[in-house]
Structure formats: structure tokens, C-alpha cells
Amino acid sequence: MKEMTIMLDCGLSAQSILNFLPLPLVPSPRLGSLSNWLPRDCNDPQLEGELKECHGRVFVDSAPEFCPPLGKLIDYSEIDVILISNYTAMLALPYITEGTGFHGIVYATEPTLQIGKFYLEELVQYLEQTPKAALASRWKELLHLLPPPLSESFKPRCWKQLYNLTTLSSSLARIQTVGYNEKLDVYGALKVTAVSSGYCLGSSNWVINLDHEKVAYVSGSSTLTTHPRPMDQNALKNADLLILSGLTQVPSSNPDSMLGELCMTVVSTLRGNGSVLIPCYPSGVIYDLFECLSAHLDSSSLSQIPMFFISPVADTSLAYSNILAEWLSEVKQNRVFMPEEPFPHAYLVKMGRLKHFTHIYANGFNTEFRMPCVVFCGHPSLRFGASVHFVELWGSNPAHTIIFTEPDFAYLDALAPFQPLAMKAVHCPIDTSLNFVQANKLVRELKPANLVLPDCYTVPPPSLPHRTDLVIQQADHKVLVMKRGEVISLPLKKKKVKVKLSAELASCLTPTQIKPGVMLSSLTGNLVVRDNHFDIKMFEGSEGDSNQLLPVKSSQNSQFEWGTVNVDLFVQRLNEEGITDAKVEPSPSGYIIHLQNQDTVIQIDDRSTHIFCEEPDQKLRKHLRKVLSECLNKF
Amino acid sequence: MQEIEVTPLGAGQDVGRSCILLSIGGKNVMLDCGMHMGYNDDRRFPDFSYITQDGPITNFIDCVIISHFHLDHCGALPYMTEMVGYSGPIYMTQPTKAIAPILLEDMRKVAVERKGESNFFTSQNIKDCMKKVITVGLHESVMVDSQLEIKAYYAGHVLGAAMFWIRVGSQSVVYTGDYNMTPDRHLGAAWIDKCRPDILITESTYATTIRDSKRCRERDFLKKVHECVDRGGKVLIPVFALGRAQELCILLETYWERMNLKVPVYFAVGLTEKANNYYKMFITWTNQKIRKTFVQRNMFDFKHIKPFDKQYIDNPGAMVVFATPGMLHAGLSLQIFKKWAPNENNMVIMPGFCVVGTVGHKILNGATKVEFENRQVVDVKMSVQYMSFSAHADAKGIMQLIQYCEPKNVLLVHGEASKMAFLKEKIQSEFKIDCFMPANGETAVIKATHPISIDMSAKLFKSEMDHQNSQPPDPKRRRILNAVLVVKDSSMTVMDADEACEEAGISRHTVRFTSIVRLQDPGPVAKTAEHLFGLISSRLVDWNVQLNDLAISVESVLVKVEGTEEEKNVLVSWANQDEELGSSILTLIQTIDDGEVP
């Protein structure tokens, strides 16, 4: 694309962390007493202690590692622009921008930056508050000896430790914030625009415009009515290329019924005098959960039950949610005109029904904490953060319930290192992203010329192979499939480029009508190229050419001839001009006119005329040129 | 359509009642719709009959843009939409939409309930008017229709204040509203990119001042308040609910904190908490510092400033009270004034403009006794202070904004004529651009010519790029384009001549000339060719002259050497388009005809 490299999102695959043992806040005797695991017939001393077994599953006893985007495909220093769609799609940013020679621009909306910042800070703080002394790596060499799922890990040798806060903040400092529908000029070569995608606060889809081509990139989008501003579909219409990604991770679950189930589970657990643990991220669906759950508790006469929100960034999350009104749904936006906080959780905090703490060891938590209650805390993987503590604490009591709402991690895998578990585990994944029905409908409405999809959307999900409805099916569109690690070239052919014609030059042109609706005018100008913008300006003779005997090209338009020469007319005109010795002879392709006295030959064909002239003063030649020119069409 | 017209209905060589009509590319845009605070009669509102003599003006205006919530910029809006009649789109930022109706309602109450005016808009009018408002985000590009585009930039001044960029085709205008180029206690500085508009319509309130630093005035204000409370006096600060009140609160709050003062500060604004709530929720519109720290401490959650209760009026001892309304014409502020005025220990600080006829205006003009309707006479012994904290750009700031956006013309509004004239001179001499200052009802016509946006065929584009890349880089070399403009079905494309003929469905006719020059140049043919090549390329510095196989070529001109050791025939041939070049080269070779090759 005019020699630009654009990176669309930089998500981090966190699935890898499920292979690691949880990091408890207080030493856990249970986890400490897990037995070492070694492959049979293997006595590699370096592997000793790296792997532990729990309830038939093998885990790595080390600081969790993440799987960053594949770095070998592309040199990060050559990326010109990174477009970030939402705060869940930027976790790998520091891996890409720091220490790689990257010097491009990163664009994201203000909420994406702010929420992404505390999202990542939470993650870093979780890991930093529970440091691990040893780093296990030997197991990666012996993958073939290990049992699944560990042996099936995707490229574990590329896995990396998480960055630190310094790296994170210098990476985030590169982000330039943008508003929805703000047209950003990227090095003069193209324009990019973020448009609302309805998925979360500040989430966006991107429209990339070249002079005449349009590419739309759809990532995490939602057509449901939750708290964010609704999805803007208009801007995505009629693209030459539509890249579709970020569909729901749980296509068989309906978010509304999951929410209903969650509320019911909470109420029944509380009635049974149990408490509820909801592992969560610090922003996003939890805002809706606070709202719906508190209303449901009210209607179940359980208003006195406290809700706890424990995260190092809980206060930041709640504070930001209330100042980003412009990025919210209309209903929430209108509340600030009252003026009232857009989210009811501001009120819940004021009333003391929702209490937020940075940590379980934070001041005041012990005095405020009482059961039964509902606890929201991270991390949804149950590998670090307060959630580890609560599962350890409540795991043996069947009265308590853990409810999984975040769809990123398979809940049974998340729970594996805590087995056996007496606490109830309920799976209510809430993913508001587009499902396949919505996505298929969307593509039909957007009418792209070409559609690009990840390969996984063309076949039913591996867990539901019989659900052939869970695919993107578009018979009307040209579909291109992309696979992880594969480079595909997209069918965008540039037909035209925009240039600017100066008004001064334009006023000098005299277009000739060739036929109705078509006019041609020859054009001679000075092509000025600056910042990828092309201007055609009036040609001005320069003064510094005195050492040149010969002219530079004149600023006058030289015209172009077209059509055929009417030979009879030509000869007649020659006669009128006093050239009377013309002798016309037919030739295989036209005519040859001989001017006998001047030793001059004019060869006239359908599409060309050639004048051979030997006389030194060029007078005759110029005369002939004038007469010929009168007998031809020109523009 | 080459011209842009600007007609102020208000704010032309005048401060107040901003309302400017802009006619650009066949579209009519109204910039602000303010009222004049100094008048009580018809002159209060802009003269909408200028647009049309009678009936609604919807058909004559494509959109209305409101820059910020001050009444001299939006005060006439409900009158225009609901009473004159306008149902088209109105654009403003979200904070403006939130706060403007409150100020409008405040003013309406004063006008109707206190002054007993009739024929004024109603509360319902304000509500209906606000329903027509569409909010815009900063830098969001909004298409009003398929041709008219607007975009808001941060203006400082007050919460939610914006400057607007307006574009139709390739013509564009920037309207600043009121703006502030230096960050203050709670707002950031105005910013705009190099958008190079045809016209910059800028306010010029402080056209001649290089403002004494605002810090000085703030220090002065704090000193006076502190001295007064130190001697046990009471300080009354009449304010409007929103805007300056919050800035003064931040000022006092931080001062109280720093100086560890214990004297109570009260906020008796009608909406008290509500008013500050707006600021809390629109924190993204405040300055960097407030935004950075708001999680730990929202600047608008005041620790030292408490809500006021009427009983406190008679409390003994020092105190500071913010009370509405700002001009002491009614309500609580007036009630407090009556009680405190006779005591010389007390002080009233007027932080803004007061309309003629209000108590505020009287005491600012030195009245020592104020008489009220019920014959009550109050002696004014308290100290009366006036302090302007309005945040406008000064001359330096205006020049700075011109530098930022590089307009082709500047048009001054919202300032006094004499000051404008001074600034106009300065702009013209410093930037060498035209500057206009139309009076109300006067139209400034500004020419705006622009390059025309056309297409270039990919083929021509590619051959141009290849041609350029094949030559050694030289930024000074001029790139000459010889091509054809094809106008077909209202689209315009430049192509090369062959492509153009194909597009038009005609066949091109090429005309070539060939002449032979006989040359006496003993020696091998190749040597003659080299001689000629040397000669021609020495005369054609900027041209790409090539020697290939005894043939020299420049553009379409071909020079070929044939013959024997003794006599050479030099064929010079060129296409008609290179007539000038071809005939010059021919002449050049002919001039060495008789003599030797130099």
C-alpha cells in the first residue's frame, strides 16, 4: 500500500499461562506439597523440580510466560503504523515497540489507551507481587516426553516473561490518541479512521482509505446494546476489502441467557449462605455485571449483600468509567446531562454496596469483609491475583460458587491445578462480540468486494464439529482465508492516484470536445511531489539556465494529433500556400507525396505522417508542419 | 463558487452577541448564536431578518455551530430555533450541550421573572431547542451532508469550548469562538493543526493587550481575600453557577490547602454539587494535570469548600461565600450583599461583567448607597473589587494561532473596532496575508482559489515514478509532465497520450520529421557520434541524453550517424511534440556543418 506497513492490533496469547502453577499471595501448603513429575525413563537433572503434578495434570512450576505475536514473519522496525482496536488487543504492544528498533506511530482511542494502561498495569502488578525465584526452561527441550496438553503447547520456546512497568509505560507513551471518525493522514499515503465498534469503551474498527480504495478492518465488535457507544456500520460499507476478525469465542452461548443464569446462580448460592467468586478483568463486562446483579439482588431482597471489587486498579477503573461519557451508549450519555454518573456503580459505591480495594491485604479490607458476599477479582486464568487466594480459601466448601464469565480461558483448565474442588463451578461465558449469525448478516449488509477471514471461521469450532451453522458463509463475496504464520497478498489493484492540478494551470487548458461527454486537453506542467502528495503546477521557465543554448521544454502545451489526414485537402492547401509541385503516389499503407523541387518526401499513413526534408534553413519544413497541422484533428 | 462570504450578524467590530453567517461552496453555516448582555430590547438578539424577512430560516441555513456555552455565544439559540423557526442541525460539544441549557434557563428566569419581560423564550423552548443538538467529539470529522464537513478542536477558554474547522470541497474556514492559548487552572491551551484554511475567523477581545500574566491577577485576588478574612471580614463573590466559579474554587481550594487556612469557604450556587458534577464527569476536557490526578483526587471534589446554608449569613467571624447570581440583581447573592454591605470590614469581589441597571453595575461604578424597590436603602461601606478572569487569547496568542494553522486570510470578530484595526495592521505586516474586519451586517467577500483534485492513471503514475527512480536523486530537478487531461462524465484524469486516445476511442496520429545533415568529419563514424553526443549533452544540462550504437537520443529526438571515413550523414528525427527540441538540435548540428566538430 504505497509502501506502507500497517499492523492491525497486537494481541497477546495468554493461553500459555494455563500450563503454569498458580501464584498464591500467601504460600499454599497444598501447592507446595504437590509431587514432582518426571517423564518415565528420564533422569535429566535439569528438569527436576520444573514440573509438578496435580490431580493427573502436569504443570510448570515457574513464573508464567506469554506467547507474543510471531516475530519472525516481520521486522518490527519496518512497521509504519499500528492500529489498536480495543484494550484487549494491545497486550503485546511492549514486545513490539520496545527494544526492536520500532519507530512507527501507534493509534488508539483515548479509552483504549487509558483502560489498556490499567489493564496491563494490573497484569504486571499481579506478577510482580508474587515473584518466582527460579525460571523453568528445560522442559521446553523435552516437549516430546511430556503428556498433553503441555506437549501440545504452541512454540513454547518463543514464550516470554511479562515486561515490567517501565517498559510498559515507555511503550504506551508511543500511543497517539484519536477520536472516532477522526481522519488521520498517515505520511500522506493513506487515511485511517477509527469508527465505533460497540464492543467495549472506546473500541473501534478501522477504515483505511487510499485515494480510490477502501479497506475495512473489523475486530471485536458488538451489535448488542450494552454500555458502549453502538457500532457504526455505515462507515464500513462497500469496502474493496473487509478483514473480519474478533468474533465470539463462545458461539454457542447467548450473552443474555448467560447473564440470567449468572444472576440466578448468585442468588441461590447466597440463599444457601455461600459466597460467590467471579474472576474478571478490571473493565468491560463487569460494569454491566455490577448494574444487572445489583438490580437482581434488589428484586430478590438481597440488597444487603456486599459486592467486593478487588484489583490493584479497581479505583482507576471505576473512576475512568464515569468520565468517558462520550464513548457510551446514548442512554448512559444522557445521564450526564442530568448531571448524574453514567454508570449506576458510582451510586453503588456511594451507598457502600460495592466496595473496592486494591488488594486483599489493603487497609480496611479485613474490617469491611463479611460473608456471604460477591467477590469480583482478577485474574480470570486463576494463575495469579486475588482469585487464586479465594479459590484456595473457598475451594473445599460446597456452599460457595465460582462463576466464570470471561471467555478467554477454558474454565476446566483454569481450575485444573485446584482439583479436587468441592466448591461449585458454573460456566456462564459472556462474550458480546459478534456471533456467526450476526457476522454473516453484517457481511451481507456491508457488501465488501473481497472478504478476508482467519481459517478458523470457515469450519465449525473444534469443540462443536457438528454445528455447521457456526461458520462464515458468504457465497456472494470473494473470500480469502488467512492462517497463522502465513503471508497472504490481497487483491487490491490501484487503478488511479489522486493528484492536484493548480488553478492557474487549469485555466490555461482548452479542452477539445472529441465526442459528446468526452473532452481532451494536452497538459504540460511541473510535477511537484511532497509528502506523498502530487501537484501539477504551471511550468515556470527558470532563470538559472543561461548556460543552456537549447530551450528547456516550453510551458506551452504541445498538442497531440489524431485521426487521419485528408490527402486531397492537404494537397489543395499546399497549392494554396504556393507549393504546387506535390506529386501523390499511393503506397502499400497510404500515400507518398513527393515535392520534387525540394527533394522532400511526405509519407502519410492512417496513423502517422513522416516528413523527410533536407533543406537546411527549415523554412519549408516549418511551413509543411503548419499546413499538415491544419489538416489534422488535435487536442 | 470561488468566493467565501462572511457576514457578522453580531460580534462584527463588537464584543458580545456572536453570530456570524458563513457562505462557503454554496453552503450557509451560522457560527454561534449569542445574545448581547448589555441590551434589554431587540438589539439583544442578532438580526435574523437579515437572513429572511419573514418565516422560518431553516431553508436558508445548512447548520448552526455553537462554540461554547457562554450566553454571548448561545443565548439567542432557543429564540432562533423556537421563535424565529429553525429545525436544521445544531452542533456543539457534549459539555456545551450539558451546560448551555442551565445557563439559558438561569438567564430566562432573570429576564422573565425578575425583569418581567414578555415575549421571551420559555423553559420548554430551551428543552425543545436542545433536542435538535448533535454532539461532536474533538477531532471527529462530521459530515453535515455529503459536501459539508466540520471538525472540532480544543479551544481552552471554558469547559467544552471548541474551535471549528468547516470544509466544502477544497475550501475551508476555521472559526475560533473564544479561545485561550495558555493553559489555566483547570483547562488546557487551544490547539489546532496546520490545516491551512482559506479564512481564520478569530475573536480579538484582547487584540491589543499582551496580557499581564494571569498569575498576577490570581495572586492579587488571593491576597485581597486573605487580607479581608485576616481582619475578620466576610468575602462575597457573586458568580454564575458554571464556568469561572469552578476556576475560582480551585484557586481558593489550593490556596487554603497551601496556607493551611481554617476560615470557612462556602459555595451557595443554586446547583452546588450538581454544577461541580459536570466538571467531574467532563474531566477529559480539563487540563493534563487535573486529568492525571483525578483518580487519586478529583479536583472538583472540594475539601475546603462546603455547601452554604442561609443561616450562615449572620454567623460571626470571617468567611468566604460564592453565591449566585453573578450580577447581584436577585437571589441569594443580593440577599447576602444587603446584610454585609454596611460593614467596612467586608468585601465583595465581582469576577465578571455586569449589565447596566443591576446592583453589581451600580456598585462597580462607585455607588455608596443602593436603593431597592421597597424603599430600602443600603449603605455600601464594604470594599468593592472588580477582577476579570476571562480567558481569552491576547495579541500574542492570536498571532500564535495564525502561525499554527497558516490561514490564507484572517477575519477578526468579537472585539472593539479600534483594537481590531491595530491587530489587522500587525497581521498584514507580519504574515503578509489579508485581514478583514467587517461590521455587523457587512459582508466580507474573500477569494479562494484552489488546485483541482483530479486523478492520474496508474500507468502514467508508474511510468513517472519509474522515470524518476531511474535517475540519480536530485531534489532540485524539475519533473516535467507531458500528458493529456481526459474529461469524461464529469471525471477528470491525466493519462499519457496513447491511453487518452484509447479512452476517447480515437486513434492517435503521430507526426515525425527527419532531416539529413552532411558533415565533413574525417575519422570513424563512432568518433563522430561521440563528438555529437558530447556537444549535445553539454548544451542540454537538464536532459537525459543517451548514446546507443551510433545513435543519440533525447526524449523522442533521435540523431543517427551514418557514412564513410570522410563524409557523414547525420539523420535528425523527432516527433512533432518535441518540435522545439528537435529543430534546435538540428540547428545545432547544422551550425557545425561547414567547420569541424568543436
Side-chain angles (χ1 to χ4, degrees):
Chain A
M1 287 212 213
K2 261 193 190 170
E3 295 164 19
M4 298 281 289
T5 309
I6 305 175
M7 182 179 237
L8 302 168
D9 286 336
C10 43
L12 186 59
S13 172
Q15 295 303 318
S16 57
I17 61 177
L18 291 178
N19 293 302
F20 293 82
L21 274 188
L23 303 173
L25 283 167
V26 283
S28 153
R30 187 188 65 84
L31 287 170
S33 63
L34 290 179
S35 55
N36 279 337
W37 186 91
L38 277 176
R40 201 176 299 168
D41 311 325
C42 169
N43 40 14
D44 188 327
Q46 285 180 56
L47 189 62
E48 182 106 31
E50 285 198 351
L51 303 171
K52 303 269 183 189
E53 185 176 359
C54 174
H55 215 68
R57 278 279 277 269
V58 176
F59 295 92
V60 182
D61 188 12
S62 175
E65 293 180 326
F66 296 82
C67 179
L70 297 180
K72 282 182 187 145
L73 280 180
I74 181 166
D75 180 354
Y76 291 148
S77 66
E78 284 177 6
I79 295 176
D80 296 298
V81 189
I82 299 180
L83 306 178
I84 296 176
S85 300
N86 58 65
Y87 52 77
T88 67
M90 61 186 280
L91 305 194
L93 192 63
Y95 290 127
I96 291 161
T97 62
E98 301 311 295
T100 55
F102 173 84
H103 56 264
I105 322 171
V106 187
Y107 287 120
T109 61
E110 165 112 28
T112 299
L113 170 62
Q114 301 301 352
I115 299 175
K117 181 165 182 280
F118 66 71
Y119 233 71
L120 295 182
E121 282 172 354
E122 184 195 50
L123 197 62
V124 174
Q125 287 182 34
Y126 278 152
L127 286 167
E128 284 183 354
Q129 74 192 8
T130 48
K132 270 276 185 193
L135 195 64
S137 62
R138 183 64 186 159
W139 64 274
K140 296 180 185 176
E141 315 295 324
L142 303 167
L143 218 53
H144 55 285
L145 298 175
L146 308 182
L150 200 52
S151 61
E152 291 154 6
S153 308
F154 185 80
K155 301 199 175 180
R157 258 176 271 188
C158 304
W159 293 2
K160 283 185 178 168
Q161 295 262 305
L162 199 64
Y163 30 82
N164 59 30
L165 280 178
T166 323
T167 314
L168 173 61
S169 66
S170 70
S171 178
L172 293 177
R174 293 172 189 270
I175 295 182
Q176 211 167 312
T177 58
V178 306
Y180 283 149
N181 306 325
E182 177 175 353
K183 289 181 191 155
L184 301 158
D185 186 291
V186 182
Y187 303 118
L190 37 91
K191 289 212 160 62
V192 297
T193 306
V195 296
S196 180
S197 79
Y199 171 63
C200 58
L201 269 172
S203 69
S204 39
N205 291 320
W206 292 89
V207 180
I208 303 166
N209 278 303
L210 283 87
D211 287 345
H212 289 280
E213 294 79 23
K214 173 172 168 180
V215 177
Y217 168 55
V218 171
S219 123
S221 297
S222 178
T223 49
L224 302 176
T225 315
T226 55
H227 62 270
R229 206 152 102 169
M231 179 176 179
D232 177 358
Q233 301 191 11
N234 245 340
L236 305 169
K237 278 186 180 152
N238 302 317
D240 297 280
L241 197 68
L242 175 69
I243 306 171
L244 182 67
S245 71
L247 299 193
T248 176
Q249 302 182 64
V250 282
S252 56
S253 314
N254 173 319
D256 276 333
S257 48
M258 287 297 125
L259 188 58
E261 203 177 315
L262 175 132
C263 288
M264 275 160 47
T265 309
V266 171
V267 166
S268 68
T269 303
L270 293 175
R271 292 224 163 104
N273 219 20
S275 291
V276 180
L277 173 63
I278 303 180
C280 63
Y281 291 117
S283 176
V285 176
I286 53 159
Y287 301 145
D288 297 308
L289 291 184
F290 292 148
E291 185 167 353
C292 295
L293 196 57
S294 61
H296 193 76
L297 291 180
D298 287 344
S299 63
S300 313
S301 337
L302 288 167
S303 307
Q304 78 287 0
I305 299 292
M307 296 193 286
F308 293 95
F309 176 25
I310 304 160
S311 158
V313 298
D315 53 346
T316 313
S317 169
L318 295 175
Y320 268 104
S321 67
N322 277 323
I323 65 154
L324 297 169
E326 280 149 279
W327 308 85
L328 291 174
S329 65
E330 205 185 330
V331 179
K332 296 237 180 309
Q333 250 186 62
N334 284 339
R335 290 174 60 95
V336 305
F337 295 137
M338 309 289 246
E340 277 162 23
E341 274 92 355
F343 283 100
H345 56 239
Y347 175 77
L348 295 173
V349 170
K350 234 174 269 167
M351 293 293 105
R353 286 182 59 188
L354 176 66
K355 298 171 201 283
H356 58 95
F357 294 93
T358 51
H359 302 99
I360 46 171
Y361 51 81
N363 269 346
F365 178 70
N366 272 332
T367 46
E368 291 279 350
F369 188 70
R370 61 190 160 87
M371 290 180 17
C373 63
V374 182
V375 174
F376 294 87
C377 65
H379 183 271
S381 66
L382 305 187
R383 290 302 178 272
F384 35 77
S387 61
V388 177
H389 177 80
F390 282 101
V391 182
E392 287 276 311
L393 191 71
W394 292 347
S396 55
N397 187 340
H400 301 311
T401 306
I402 177 169
I403 306 177
F404 291 88
T405 57
E406 299 291 351
D408 286 354
F409 301 97
Y411 82 107
L412 289 175
D413 290 339
L415 283 173
F418 299 94
Q419 297 293 0
L421 205 65
M423 169 185 206
K424 283 192 288 291
V426 178
H427 188 222
C428 300
I430 298 176
D431 190 337
T432 55
S433 323
L434 296 173
N435 63 30
F436 286 92
V437 176
Q438 291 160 344
N440 276 314
K441 179 164 173 281
L442 181 73
V443 174
R444 277 196 302 276
E445 286 168 4
L446 297 185
K447 298 190 175 66
N450 295 282
L451 176 67
V452 182
L453 294 172
D455 55 350
C456 57
Y457 296 161
T458 56
V459 290
S463 55
L464 304 158
H466 58 286
R467 292 288 299 273
T468 49
D469 56 321
L470 300 182
V471 296
I472 294 293
Q473 235 168 0
Q474 296 291 335
D476 309 344
H477 301 98
K478 201 165 168 248
V479 178
L480 293 126
V481 175
M482 52 183 177
K483 291 197 182 89
R484 188 171 185 167
E486 215 178 68
V487 177
I488 62 170
S489 58
L490 306 173
L492 259 196
K493 212 165 155 2
K494 191 148 60 174
K495 288 165 289 258
K496 284 173 182 175
V497 180
K498 276 225 157 70
V499 295
K500 292 242 162 103
L501 179 64
S502 85
E504 191 192 3
L505 180 53
S507 65
C508 297
L509 299 180
T510 43
T512 311
Q513 173 142 346
I514 304 297
K515 55 186 174 195
V518 181
M519 297 205 281
L520 298 183
S521 168
S522 58
L523 171 98
T524 300
N526 189 9
L527 185 65
V528 182
V529 183
R530 204 171 65 178
D531 301 337
N532 267 322
H533 290 293
F534 292 77
D535 287 285
I536 307 174
K537 298 193 166 160
M538 195 77 157
F539 195 87
E540 286 155 16
S542 69
E543 290 117 30
D545 285 338
S546 51
N547 59 340
Q548 282 204 332
L549 171 88
L550 294 173
V552 287
K553 261 187 212 178
S554 93
S555 56
Q556 270 183 339
N557 271 324
S558 54
Q559 293 196 307
F560 298 95
E561 297 79 19
W562 64 279
T564 52
V565 180
N566 181 333
V567 177
D568 293 343
L569 179 70
F570 182 52
V571 174
Q572 188 198 327
R573 288 283 297 113
L574 287 177
N575 270 317
E576 286 166 24
E577 297 279 328
I579 301 168
T580 52
D581 57 344
K583 188 169 149 251
V584 182
E585 285 169 15
S587 79
S589 54
Y591 297 90
I592 290 180
I593 300 172
H594 215 105
L595 304 185
Q596 287 151 309
N597 302 342
Q598 268 82 12
D599 200 7
T600 291
V601 174
I602 304 166
Q603 182 186 330
I604 301 177
D605 293 342
D606 270 358
R607 297 191 171 199
S608 65
T609 297
H610 203 152
I611 298 176
F612 298 90
C613 209
E614 287 211 40
E615 136 283 1
D617 66 359
Q618 300 198 40
K619 215 165 150 191
L620 173 69
R621 188 186 63 76
K622 287 184 175 159
H623 202 165
L624 290 176
R625 179 172 183 261
K626 182 174 152 277
V627 176
L628 176 68
S629 152
E630 288 162 6
C631 299
L632 271 166
N633 295 313
K634 290 186 297 287
F635 59 78
Chain B
M1 297 285 267
Q2 298 273 331
E3 287 163 352
I4 302 175
E5 293 183 4
V6 183
T7 314
L9 295 189
Q13 304 181 4
D14 185 16
V15 180
R17 199 180 59 172
S18 278
C19 183
I20 296 136
L21 288 182
L22 167 69
S23 177
I24 173 172
K27 303 283 170 189
N28 296 314
V29 179
M30 182 184 284
L31 304 167
D32 278 335
C33 190
M35 66 176 292
H36 207 297
M37 305 299 276
Y39 297 120
N40 282 328
D41 52 20
D42 281 352
R43 288 175 296 173
R44 174 170 56 200
F45 294 132
D47 181 11
F48 295 113
S49 64
Y50 179 89
I51 300 166
T52 172
Q53 283 300 325
D54 50 1
I57 58 173
T58 308
N59 293 335
F60 303 90
I61 302 283
D62 292 282
C63 78
V64 175
I65 294 172
I66 301 293
S67 64
H68 63 284
F69 61 65
H70 278 157
L71 293 174
D72 58 339
H73 292 261
C74 70
L77 194 60
Y79 171 74
M80 182 188 80
T81 63
E82 308 310 308
M83 298 171 82
V84 176
Y86 171 75
S87 55
I90 303 164
Y91 295 91
M92 56 178 79
T93 66
Q94 209 177 23
T96 307
K97 184 181 176 181
I99 297 169
I102 297 172
L103 298 186
L104 286 167
E105 180 60 28
D106 240 33
M107 171 188 66
R108 192 198 66 79
K109 270 195 191 143
V110 171
V112 176
E113 291 169 17
R114 303 277 163 183
K115 296 190 194 152
E117 286 184 41
S118 55
N119 195 23
F120 210 81
F121 50 78
T122 64
S123 290
Q124 192 55 42
N125 283 158
I126 298 174
K127 282 182 191 139
D128 292 341
C129 167
M130 294 317 287
K131 278 184 200 144
K132 297 173 182 164
V133 170
I134 302 167
T135 60
V136 298
L138 283 181
H139 303 169
E140 178 184 2
S141 146
V142 176
M143 298 304 296
V144 176
D145 57 35
S146 62
Q147 292 162 326
L148 178 58
E149 179 181 0
I150 63 171
K151 179 177 174 182
Y153 290 93
Y154 191 76
H157 188 61
V158 290
L159 196 75
M163 307 189 280
F164 280 86
W165 174 80
I166 300 130
R167 179 191 68 90
V168 180
S170 42
Q171 296 181 338
S172 61
V173 169
V174 168
Y175 171 64
T176 64
D178 292 351
Y179 63 103
N180 186 10
M181 295 300 283
T182 45
D184 66 18
R185 296 234 161 236
H186 68 300
L187 298 171
W191 179 87
I192 193 162
D193 54 11
K194 226 173 244 339
C195 54
R196 300 190 175 92
D198 291 302
I199 311 172
L200 171 71
I201 304 176
T202 174
E203 65 137 330
S204 47
T205 321
Y206 292 143
T208 54
T209 27
I210 303 295
R211 215 157 19 127
D212 58 321
S213 100
K214 199 167 170 196
R215 302 269 156 190
C216 287
R217 271 175 294 146
E218 287 175 359
R219 243 196 330 268
D220 204 24
F221 166 78
L222 291 169
K223 199 175 131 217
K224 281 179 178 154
V225 172
H226 197 164
E227 279 169 7
C228 181
V229 295
D230 260 359
R231 63 172 185 255
K234 299 174 170 45
V235 182
L236 170 64
I237 309 172
V239 287
F240 280 107
L242 288 150
R244 212 45 55 207
Q246 278 71 24
E247 195 188 334
L248 293 178
C249 282
I250 292 178
L251 195 60
L252 275 193
E253 169 89 4
T254 41
Y255 187 74
W256 249 237
E257 178 114 5
R258 188 154 51 87
M259 305 301 283
N260 200 16
L261 296 182
K262 298 284 179 250
V263 175
V265 182
Y266 297 113
F267 197 66
V269 170
L271 304 143
T272 323
E273 205 185 347
K274 261 193 169 184
N276 290 337
N277 258 345
Y278 282 115
Y279 279 79
K280 280 193 230 167
M281 280 182 299
F282 290 120
I283 218 127
T284 49
W285 287 82
T286 59
N287 69 28
Q288 206 70 28
K289 190 179 151 210
I290 294 186
R291 282 158 59 176
K292 268 212 172 117
T293 54
F294 92 97
V295 175
Q296 290 78 44
R297 168 121 186 259
N298 195 320
M299 196 66 116
F300 300 98
D301 272 331
F302 299 116
K303 229 163 71 188
H304 297 274
I305 301 171
K306 303 272 187 305
F308 185 73
D309 191 296
K310 272 186 194 165
Q311 297 163 8
Y312 300 169
I313 295 185
D314 297 321
N315 279 6
M319 67 172 99
V320 180
V321 177
F322 288 95
T324 49
M327 293 188 277
L328 283 182
H329 51 275
L332 190 60
S333 62
L334 186 60
Q335 206 179 332
I336 299 174
F337 171 78
K338 285 180 187 168
K339 289 264 186 185
W340 294 0
N343 187 334
E344 62 270 15
N345 263 345
N346 296 342
M347 177 188 284
V348 59
I349 298 179
M350 306 297 298
F353 179 81
C354 290
V355 169
V356 185
T358 59
V359 175
H361 188 264
K362 283 178 193 154
I363 60 167
L364 278 180
N365 281 303
T368 50
K369 280 185 199 303
V370 180
E371 196 181 325
F372 292 91
E373 299 91 54
N374 49 7
R375 294 265 172 98
Q376 183 193 4
V377 176
V378 172
D379 284 324
V380 184
K381 290 196 180 138
M382 75 199 301
S383 128
V384 178
Q385 303 286 338
Y386 173 75
M387 292 210 144
S388 166
F389 287 95
S390 57
H392 290 278
D394 59 5
K396 200 170 128 214
I398 296 168
M399 300 303 264
Q400 203 178 353
L401 190 80
I402 296 174
Q403 234 164 29
Y404 277 15
C405 70
E406 290 188 359
K408 301 196 183 80
N409 300 278
V410 176
L411 191 145
L412 303 175
V413 294
H414 202 280
E416 290 164 30
S418 58
K419 292 183 181 176
M420 276 184 180
F422 173 82
L423 185 64
K424 177 179 162 173
E425 284 302 310
K426 199 169 157 180
I427 290 169
Q428 284 174 333
S429 69
E430 209 157 299
F431 294 101
K432 310 274 177 283
I433 53 177
D434 265 341
C435 186
F436 302 80
M437 41 176 281
N440 287 336
E442 202 175 283
T443 301
V445 180
I446 292 149
K447 272 212 161 44
T449 48
H450 279 276
I452 303 157
S453 190
I454 59 174
D455 292 323
M456 184 186 276
S457 77
K459 188 179 161 207
L460 179 61
F461 180 78
K462 193 166 176 303
S463 81
E464 271 300 313
M465 296 300 273
D466 291 348
H467 182 67
Q468 179 75 2
N469 293 339
S470 70
Q471 293 175 289
D474 171 12
K476 286 204 191 119
R477 183 193 304 123
R478 286 176 298 174
R479 296 172 71 168
I480 299 145
L481 184 74
N482 258 313
V484 180
L485 180 71
V486 180
V487 185
K488 191 177 177 186
D489 309 327
S490 77
S491 80
M492 288 194 274
T493 315
V494 234
M495 307 178 181
D496 68 27
D498 292 333
E499 244 187 315
C501 287
E502 197 180 315
E503 185 72 21
I506 55 177
S507 49
R508 194 174 156 193
H509 195 98
T510 53
V511 177
R512 259 194 109 76
F513 301 97
T514 302
S515 289
I516 297 170
V517 184
R518 278 174 241 290
L519 214 57
Q520 310 284 333
D521 184 31
V525 171
K527 206 171 146 236
T528 307
E530 265 169 48
H531 278 149
L532 289 179
F533 174 67
L535 175 67
I536 293 170
S537 36
S538 74
R539 301 298 177 91
L540 289 173
V541 181
D542 268 354
W543 301 78
N544 184 16
V545 186
Q546 287 179 325
L547 175 63
N548 267 327
D549 229 7
L550 306 182
I552 301 152
S553 63
V554 199
E555 300 289 321
S556 75
V557 184
L558 204 67
V559 181
K560 222 166 161 181
V561 187
E562 295 168 351
T564 62
E565 281 276 320
E566 282 71 40
E567 202 183 47
K568 312 285 182 312
N569 283 338
V570 182
L571 273 85
V572 184
S573 166
W574 66 91
N576 195 21
Q577 277 67 41
D578 287 315
E579 167 70 15
E580 206 171 337
L581 180 67
S583 66
S584 305
I585 291 177
L586 178 62
T587 311
L588 178 69
I589 295 171
Q590 280 168 340
T591 56
I592 53 167
D593 190 0
D594 317 317
E596 289 91 57
V597 174

